[in-house]
Amino acid sequence: MNNYIISCCSTADLSEEHFLQRGIHFICFHYMLDDITYTDDLGKSIPFDQFYKKMEDGAMTKTSQVNADEFTEYFRSFLEKGQDILHLTLSSGISGVYNSACIARDMLLEEFPERKIYIVDSLAASSGFGLLMDTIADKRDEGMDIDTLYQWTKNNLLQLNHWFFSSDLTFYIRGGRISKASGTIGNMLNICPLLNVNNEGKLIVREKVRTKRKVIKQIVAKMEENARDGLDYDGKCYISQSACYEDARAVADLIESRFPKLNGKVAIYNIGTVIGSHTGPGTVALFFWGKEREA
């Protein structure tokens, strides 16, 4: 049996139960809510509904990535057991955490020269990152060795599609992703920007759709256009959402009615506290395997 572990950051936005069931290890980011520091512990410290309510009420948020010292301690716990490591980080287009993981790897390889530590920039975020990890877990369970899985991951990660929209631009304005003037007008006109993650792992506004009803149809249209095998897509589909479950459910229902060969039902997760600190409430994100992402 291959003696290695697969690992990711908490920003893969799956449930703790899912991580445990699939044997996926994770290390937690951190965030601040009104100057109090918390661990991004999948909603344990603060339930997601309370977190987003505090944001709506004006609480200020700030996030911090895992640093090299934390990675060193985390990785060492596996290396001391004689296990190799395949760790994926949150997209470098969003965070600098990949560099921290690489620093820890380089230090530990001097201490454990017989072990393998592979670090991969996922170029992914939220439950898209999670869907990538879930697929990697499938490959591991099929018996793929760590070297082959590392190469498979690098070769295929850009086929993981991310599309999302937000019905509230307040927090995109606050974070500087949308100008105050554009955001204010957008909110007044019920503009719901449709974004995706490009081939550099960065968030890109692709369309400006007026009304939530239309953007729900449009995000499903993007899946029809880009999913592997189109309407015959037979892979898994994940959605994550920030305090707008009914919107996410509407997208999921539409997908399940249009894609009869889906691998199971659409799984809906919460956008975690780190990603959610930047999106705020009102964001729905859709993830599936399909065409390779472009610029």
Side-chain angles (χ1 to χ4, degrees):
M1 184 175 179
N2 295 318
N3 191 23
Y4 68 91
I5 64 100
I6 58 173
S7 172
C8 63
C9 303
S10 58
T11 45
D13 288 350
L14 298 177
S15 66
E16 183 175 31
E17 180 183 18
H18 193 140
F19 280 128
L20 293 174
Q21 286 180 344
R22 295 311 317 272
I24 301 170
H25 299 270
F26 63 93
I27 186 169
C28 296
F29 269 58
H30 313 281
Y31 68 97
M32 294 182 70
L33 190 66
D34 278 345
D35 297 324
I36 300 175
T37 301
Y38 298 91
T39 299
D40 178 35
D41 55 6
L42 312 180
K44 286 184 177 179
S45 297
I46 301 178
F48 296 117
D49 58 344
Q50 294 181 24
F51 172 78
Y52 287 114
K53 180 62 166 60
K54 288 178 180 293
M55 288 189 74
E56 287 179 338
D57 291 342
M60 299 301 295
T61 58
K62 184 178 180 181
T63 61
S64 59
Q65 65 190 40
V66 183
N67 62 41
D69 289 341
E70 290 172 308
F71 270 122
T72 301
E73 181 180 355
Y74 173 70
F75 289 154
R76 180 179 280 113
S77 68
F78 302 112
L79 299 171
E80 289 177 342
K81 298 175 185 176
Q83 295 173 308
D84 296 327
I85 298 168
L86 173 60
H87 180 84
L88 276 69
T89 69
L90 176 65
S91 172
S92 61
I94 298 173
S95 167
V97 70
Y98 172 75
N99 292 329
S100 297
C102 288
I103 290 170
R105 174 202 59 199
D106 294 345
M107 293 175 58
L108 287 167
L109 284 176
E110 295 181 5
E111 184 179 346
F112 298 90
E114 74 286 0
R115 298 263 60 89
K116 297 174 181 177
I117 309 172
Y118 290 131
I119 309 297
V120 178
D121 177 0
S122 73
L123 299 177
S126 194
S127 300
F129 187 4
L131 179 52
L132 177 59
M133 292 307 303
D134 194 71
T135 305
I136 288 171
D138 288 339
K139 300 296 181 183
R140 175 206 59 198
D141 293 349
E142 292 167 4
M144 191 175 284
D145 63 77
I146 189 171
D147 302 287
T148 306
L149 184 53
Y150 168 64
Q151 198 59 52
W152 182 92
T153 302
K154 291 179 66 178
N155 290 343
N156 289 276
L157 58 82
L158 285 178
Q159 295 175 31
L160 200 291
N161 280 232
H162 302 54
W163 288 91
F164 59 104
F165 68 83
S166 182
S167 56
D168 185 349
L169 305 183
T170 302
F171 300 92
Y172 290 84
I173 299 169
R174 183 184 294 179
R177 287 173 171 78
I178 295 177
S179 70
K180 186 174 182 180
S182 295
T184 300
I185 294 171
N187 277 335
M188 291 174 60
L189 297 177
N190 294 319
I191 298 294
C192 300
L194 182 62
L195 309 90
N196 77 346
V197 175
N198 73 356
N199 59 359
E200 295 181 344
K202 298 177 180 179
L203 310 181
I204 306 295
V205 177
R206 298 299 187 182
E207 298 179 16
K208 297 177 181 178
V209 184
R210 190 170 183 181
T211 78
K212 187 190 299 182
R213 180 179 61 83
K214 289 181 180 178
V215 80
I216 287 173
K217 290 182 178 180
Q218 187 63 5
I219 198 171
V220 176
K222 291 298 182 183
M223 183 171 174
E224 294 176 7
E225 177 185 346
N226 292 286
R228 183 181 61 212
D229 300 320
L231 292 174
D232 288 328
Y233 177 69
D234 61 359
K236 294 181 180 179
C237 178
Y238 285 2
I239 288 176
S240 58
Q241 55 82 32
S242 54
C244 55
Y245 179 83
E246 293 304 318
D247 296 340
R249 186 68 259 169
V251 174
D253 289 344
L254 192 53
I255 289 170
E256 289 171 1
S257 72
R258 299 301 302 277
F259 294 84
K261 297 182 180 180
L262 278 178
N263 183 351
K265 296 289 188 180
V266 176
I268 300 177
Y269 296 98
N270 290 291
I271 293 176
T273 48
V274 169
I275 304 297
S277 290
H278 301 284
T279 68
T283 294
V284 174
L286 170 64
F287 313 102
F288 54 89
W289 289 98
K291 296 177 183 177
E292 188 159 305
R293 285 181 262 156
E294 300 178 347

